[in-house]
Amino acid sequence: MTPQAVRALLARGDTAAALAASTAGVAGPDRAAWLMLHAEVLRAAGRDLEAEPVLRRAIAASPESPVRRHNLAALLGDLGRDAEAETEARTALAAGGDAPETWLVLARALQGQNRFDEADAAYGEAIRRRPDYLPALQERAQLVWMRTGQLAPALAVTHHLPEAAATRRLVEAALYEAAGDPDSAFAACRRGPLDAALTVRSVGLGTRVDPTAALRLAEEALRAFGPQRPVLLALAEARLATGDAAGAEAPVAEALDQDPADQYALALLTTIWRLRGDPRYAALHDHEGLVSTRTLDTPPGWATLDAYLDDLAAALGRIHAFDAHPLNQSVRGGSQASVRLESHPDPAVRAFFAAIDGPIRRHVAMTGPGDDPFRRRHTGDYRLAGLWSVRLTAGGSHVDHVHPRGWISSACYIDLPEAVAGDDRQGWLRFGRSPVVTGQDLPPERWVQPQRGLLALFPSYMWHGVQPFSEGVRLTIAFDVVPA
């Protein structure tokens, strides 16, 4: 098989076949090129740790290759090994690899080490080489926003671009939405020609601002861009916002045919079923069979769970360095930080994997296999697919959301404000309140009162959010689980 054929398999989502082909290719001629492709396939399969030695073998065959050094730097950054990622990115740049992508990898590595001024400068170098480079613009604007909580300096990141530039409008829309101004976000999206991404974003914002206009945009997008999954989901949102739950079901079903694991599409479908009184809703929102709360196991090295949580809270406190929440996330009134278990230097952070392994396995065993969209993915084993920490301060909350690429999602409580002990549900986790505009009241169906050391586990398609609280700090770790 040729490398082009392997990449075609990846494009179709057939990672198993691509992995088998790239494994065979490594044993044949042109071994160095196949090693690079094999590492790419391993990463697509979510096997980043296995990709690292493969990339290092490819580099050994051509140590001066800036492309191979860049790829290793990007991988190390994704693994949370930011100092090593910085070294490899600088090596790639010194070898002549002056691509904006490499400057972006360097900026992320510097930001991961809390060297924010240097990160800002590296983002600037990426943008100088490609002025409309969307990832660099988004991340630089987000860095400014999270450091300051101020909208004006974050918006200034894109002011070198024309007001009608699509990239500028996407970044500005995200910033306005993060600042709680959906009207300005909607206006920013529509300040020029609409491509597919801007149309989808406009529809989502428009359902809260002008549902009729949102529906018109969604229908135009379907005609212009065809039945792409984001367009289909935007159309369903717009129909729900105008009260047409029956008409929303067909585009969601088509989107799920394209990607049955899309948890956001599944959340929309179950919302439609709830609105229409469809009995299938209850099966997928079986809170007794699919949701559980479990106490963390005390990991080796600590005498008690409280002692472990004290050390973990102190370590997480050193990780959180921002004043404002990130863009395009559910956090409001706090900060969010990504955490890599495998490579973090603090022993309490690394031990978190041991603390959650038993509770996750007991939860997976409880849910069991079956034929519904959740249980049919059951393999009996799991792997983590992202882990992050959230630090909410007084007035903080989570807007209702789902985790689109997960299977099982979580909330683990490390430190809590006194307010969560009350009966008014301050800081509590809620399930079932849909953020999608539907014209009907869909209140929460279940509440979980946080307790220190408690781990809540639930299907990733379930809408969930957090009530605001009046004072103190609410420190959590969250992660997604997918079948292994």
Side-chain angles (χ1 to χ4, degrees):
M1 186 175 291
T2 65
Q4 292 79 7
V6 175
R7 288 196 170 89
L9 290 171
L10 278 182
R12 293 200 300 271
D14 193 350
T15 52
L19 188 58
S22 65
T23 301
V26 167
D30 199 12
R31 184 167 172 270
W34 275 102
L35 284 168
M36 292 293 293
L37 180 55
H38 187 46
E40 180 183 336
V41 175
L42 284 168
R43 297 206 66 189
R47 294 161 61 174
D48 286 357
L49 289 173
E50 295 173 59
E52 181 188 351
V54 175
L55 271 176
R56 291 192 182 278
R57 285 161 60 195
I59 288 172
S62 182
E64 301 305 318
S65 168
V67 172
R68 295 177 188 183
R69 293 284 183 182
H70 164 89
N71 288 352
L72 179 58
L75 171 61
L76 292 168
D78 289 346
L79 290 173
R81 290 155 59 181
D82 294 305
E84 295 173 73
E86 178 192 355
T87 297
E88 293 297 336
R90 292 194 187 279
T91 301
L93 291 168
D98 196 39
E101 290 84 358
T102 304
W103 282 102
L104 177 62
V105 169
L106 176 60
R108 290 169 173 168
L110 293 166
Q111 182 171 323
Q113 298 174 75
N114 291 351
R115 291 157 59 186
F116 300 137
D117 289 340
E118 294 173 78
D120 184 77
Y123 284 127
E125 292 295 335
I127 294 164
R128 187 165 67 84
R129 285 156 177 78
R130 187 179 300 157
D132 63 348
Y133 188 21
L134 181 59
L137 288 162
Q138 284 178 322
E139 293 180 36
R140 190 183 199 186
Q142 176 173 259
L143 176 60
V144 174
W145 164 255
M146 291 192 299
R147 292 180 77 183
T148 67
Q150 300 296 314
L151 187 58
L155 289 168
V157 167
T158 62
H159 281 181
H160 64 283
L161 296 172
E163 285 194 355
T167 300
R168 176 171 173 173
R169 287 183 284 143
L170 280 169
V171 174
E172 288 190 358
L175 286 166
Y176 281 123
E177 188 172 21
D181 187 355
D183 293 272
S184 294
F186 185 52
C189 281
R190 302 181 71 194
R191 203 174 55 222
L194 292 176
D195 59 14
L198 277 162
T199 304
V200 168
R201 192 64 183 265
S202 296
V203 171
L205 292 162
T207 58
R208 289 178 278 163
V209 176
D210 187 342
T212 302
L215 180 58
R216 185 171 61 252
L217 283 170
E219 290 170 342
E220 290 172 358
L222 186 64
R223 289 191 293 270
F225 308 114
Q228 302 176 29
R229 187 160 48 92
V231 172
L232 290 167
L233 296 177
L235 177 60
E237 290 175 7
R239 287 179 176 172
L240 280 169
T242 54
D244 184 11
E249 186 162 352
V252 174
E254 187 174 351
L256 280 166
D257 284 343
Q258 294 179 19
D259 183 0
D262 185 334
Q263 301 296 285
Y264 182 72
L266 195 53
L268 284 181
L269 183 61
T270 59
T271 300
I272 293 165
W273 288 347
R274 184 179 178 186
L275 289 165
R276 303 184 71 192
D278 192 308
R280 290 175 291 181
Y281 175 80
L284 285 180
H285 285 256
D286 173 11
H287 287 273
E288 295 302 317
L290 295 175
V291 180
S292 71
T293 56
R294 302 173 184 274
T295 302
L296 293 179
D297 292 340
T298 303
W302 283 267
T304 66
L305 181 57
D306 278 338
Y308 170 65
L309 292 171
D310 287 343
D311 287 351
L312 181 57
L316 293 174
R318 292 187 289 272
I319 291 171
H320 284 276
F322 292 116
D323 292 327
H325 53 269
L327 307 181
N328 303 319
Q329 299 294 332
S330 66
V331 182
R332 297 294 183 271
S335 63
Q336 179 170 312
S338 296
V339 186
R340 292 298 303 207
L341 295 177
E342 304 92 341
S343 56
H344 199 278
D346 192 283
V349 175
R350 291 201 307 272
F352 187 70
F353 182 83
I356 61 176
D357 182 58
I360 293 172
R361 293 190 182 281
R362 291 189 284 275
H363 177 83
V364 170
M366 177 197 82
T367 62
D371 295 329
D372 62 68
F374 177 86
R375 292 182 176 91
R376 70 186 175 210
R377 297 178 66 186
H378 199 290
T379 65
D381 202 0
Y382 79 93
R383 65 177 176 85
L384 296 182
L387 182 147
W388 57 97
S389 174
V390 173
R391 183 180 184 272
L392 296 178
T393 53
S397 66
H398 282 263
V399 298
D400 297 281
H401 63 289
V402 298
H403 298 189
R405 305 313 308 169
W407 176 50
I408 296 169
S409 294
S410 66
C412 183
Y413 304 106
I414 312 303
D415 213 356
L416 294 166
E418 292 183 5
V420 302
D423 295 330
D424 54 357
R425 295 173 172 166
Q426 289 190 50
W428 287 27
L429 175 67
R430 61 176 178 258
F431 291 105
R433 190 172 84 176
S434 169
V436 178
V437 179
T438 65
Q440 296 185 37
D441 182 33
L442 296 178
E445 298 176 306
R446 176 173 175 172
W447 295 86
V448 171
Q449 182 177 17
Q451 298 176 31
R452 198 167 186 245
L454 189 73
L455 174 63
L457 296 163
F458 48 90
S460 296
Y461 58 77
M462 281 190 177
W463 298 117
H464 58 286
V466 172
Q467 288 286 97
F469 56 95
S470 58
E471 58 184 358
V473 172
R474 184 183 187 274
L475 183 64
T476 59
I477 292 179
F479 53 85
D480 285 335
V481 168
V482 295

